[in-house]
Amino acid sequence: MKKIVMADRAGFCFGVKRAVDAILEALTAGKSDRAVWTIGMPIHNPQEVARLKAMGLQVAQDASEIPPGVKVLIRAHGESRAVLNALREKNVCVIDTTCPFVRRAQDLANALSEEGYHIVLLGDRNHPEIRSIMGYVDGGLDVVADEAEAERLPKRGRVALISQTTQQEERLAAVAAVLVRRAGELRVCNTICRATMERQDAVRALVGRVDGVVLIGGRESANTGKLRNIAEMNGLDVLWIESTEELDRGWFEGRETIGIAAGASTPEWLITEISNKIARM
Ligand code: F3S
């Protein structure tokens, strides 16, 4: 029997829970009503997405695939203004569950861009959240993943640095330190969300208390990836899994106390299922 130490904060954040609850509500009401769609996976957790699809959720690759007249849930990552405008023209019922933390980043990007700042977004340029924020910038824009990319930006007058909500604060500070030498004026907006910071702190708190950490979360989940980085940077051995089937018995040999952490898009039922299995190993 393994001893389990659960990270203080694990699993669904407020924004993801709000989005999933809205999908469930729309699906329940939608049985006799209209079909329920999202654009892209509603959350970065394949097991939870499979559950929602089994209940009737339909997932489009982009707005052009959405048929007229249906319900469309805007996921927590948000969408660009262009996508929202395209949906309005289709006469669909839009249910917007953009996370308020993402909305704040979109609004800041929009307002500062209108004030004449060149916007630098810190994050993954292929991530839906960054693409949604990009859709609110009318002027100059760069996306950087780290300090090295920030070093390559040209010198500018007024620059505003805005972060993807799932970034680590250390990286935001490091990129700000680079940009302050490359801008006449630098505005730094800490748009990292509290849920992200709390989950990162909860992983740091496992250091010295466990023989390894099982991290539960989707491979596409940015915040889960950051949790792995933080755990490994702090000397913790990590087994990153999406589902119970991936529990590798070999990894558990010689480890008595196992920490469990989970990304913000990992559902409670999956954490419980995996924890119970580990406890019996
Ligand atoms: Fe929102 Fe933060 Fe979750 S931005 S979706 S509360 S990870």
Side-chain angles (χ1 to χ4, degrees):
M1 291 279 280
K2 302 291 182 195
K3 185 172 171 228
I4 286 181
V5 180
M6 186 67 70
D8 266 355
R9 291 277 192 285
F12 274 7
C13 59
F14 137 85
V16 168
K17 182 171 186 319
R18 183 169 163 267
V20 171
D21 285 350
I23 292 172
L24 289 171
E25 196 183 317
L27 284 170
T28 316
K31 287 245 182 299
S32 57
D33 188 11
R34 302 194 240 185
V36 180
W37 287 73
T38 57
I39 303 171
M41 292 300 172
I43 64 171
H44 289 304
N45 187 274
Q47 289 70 28
E48 182 68 354
V49 172
R51 185 175 82 98
L52 296 170
K53 279 183 165 177
M55 294 174 73
L57 177 69
Q58 309 207 51
V59 178
Q61 295 304 310
D62 57 50
S64 68
E65 285 180 22
I66 301 280
V70 301
K71 289 182 188 174
V72 183
L73 273 289
I74 303 300
R75 55 192 177 173
H77 297 315
E79 289 290 354
S80 66
R81 278 182 304 200
V83 168
L84 292 175
N85 288 339
L87 289 175
R88 271 185 208 110
E89 283 172 16
K90 279 183 181 253
N91 189 30
V92 293
C93 168
V94 174
I95 301 170
D96 191 350
T97 67
T98 304
C99 177
F101 292 106
V102 177
R103 169 86 62 221
R104 178 169 169 260
Q106 291 172 338
D107 289 346
L108 280 166
N110 185 239
L112 291 168
S113 177
E114 279 185 359
E115 280 179 43
Y117 285 86
H118 181 91
I119 305 295
V120 176
L121 298 178
L122 169 62
D124 172 357
R125 59 177 56 80
N126 295 314
H127 193 281
E129 180 192 322
I130 285 290
R131 291 207 307 270
S132 87
I133 300 169
M134 288 167 74
Y136 286 80
V137 177
D138 293 322
L141 169 74
D142 283 299
V143 181
V144 298
D146 53 26
E147 309 89 283
E149 290 190 10
E151 288 281 7
R152 293 199 284 273
L153 294 179
K155 293 197 171 175
R156 294 186 192 276
R158 302 166 84 200
V159 173
L161 172 63
I162 296 173
S163 174
Q164 189 172 346
T165 56
T166 46
Q167 283 293 317
Q168 292 160 238
E169 267 187 334
E170 296 87 338
R171 174 152 291 160
L172 177 61
V175 169
V178 170
L179 291 183
V180 81
R181 289 182 274 108
R182 313 194 68 72
E185 179 196 340
L186 178 67
R187 288 275 296 267
V188 181
C189 305
N190 184 347
T191 42
I192 301 171
C193 91
R194 182 166 296 282
T196 296
M197 290 190 275
E198 286 172 352
R199 277 154 190 71
Q200 294 175 356
D201 287 344
V203 165
R204 290 187 190 96
L206 294 174
V207 175
R209 299 168 61 204
V210 298
D211 302 316
V213 174
V214 174
L215 175 62
I216 310 167
R219 301 258 180 267
E220 303 289 316
S221 159
N223 76 84
T224 309
K226 296 288 183 312
L227 293 181
R228 182 180 67 172
N229 294 346
I230 284 169
E232 291 180 346
M233 274 163 40
N234 284 281
L236 290 164
D237 280 341
V238 177
L239 178 66
W240 181 356
I241 59 169
E242 276 191 353
S243 65
T244 319
E245 292 70 45
E246 292 172 65
L247 286 172
D248 167 11
R249 285 196 170 270
W251 187 85
F252 289 87
E253 277 170 25
R255 302 180 199 268
E256 292 311 314
T257 307
I258 308 296
I260 294 185
S265 46
T266 307
E268 183 74 36
W269 63 263
L270 187 59
I271 299 171
T272 305
E273 182 182 297
I274 290 172
S275 310
N276 289 345
K277 178 136 188 215
I278 294 171
R280 293 194 299 273
M281 285 176 110

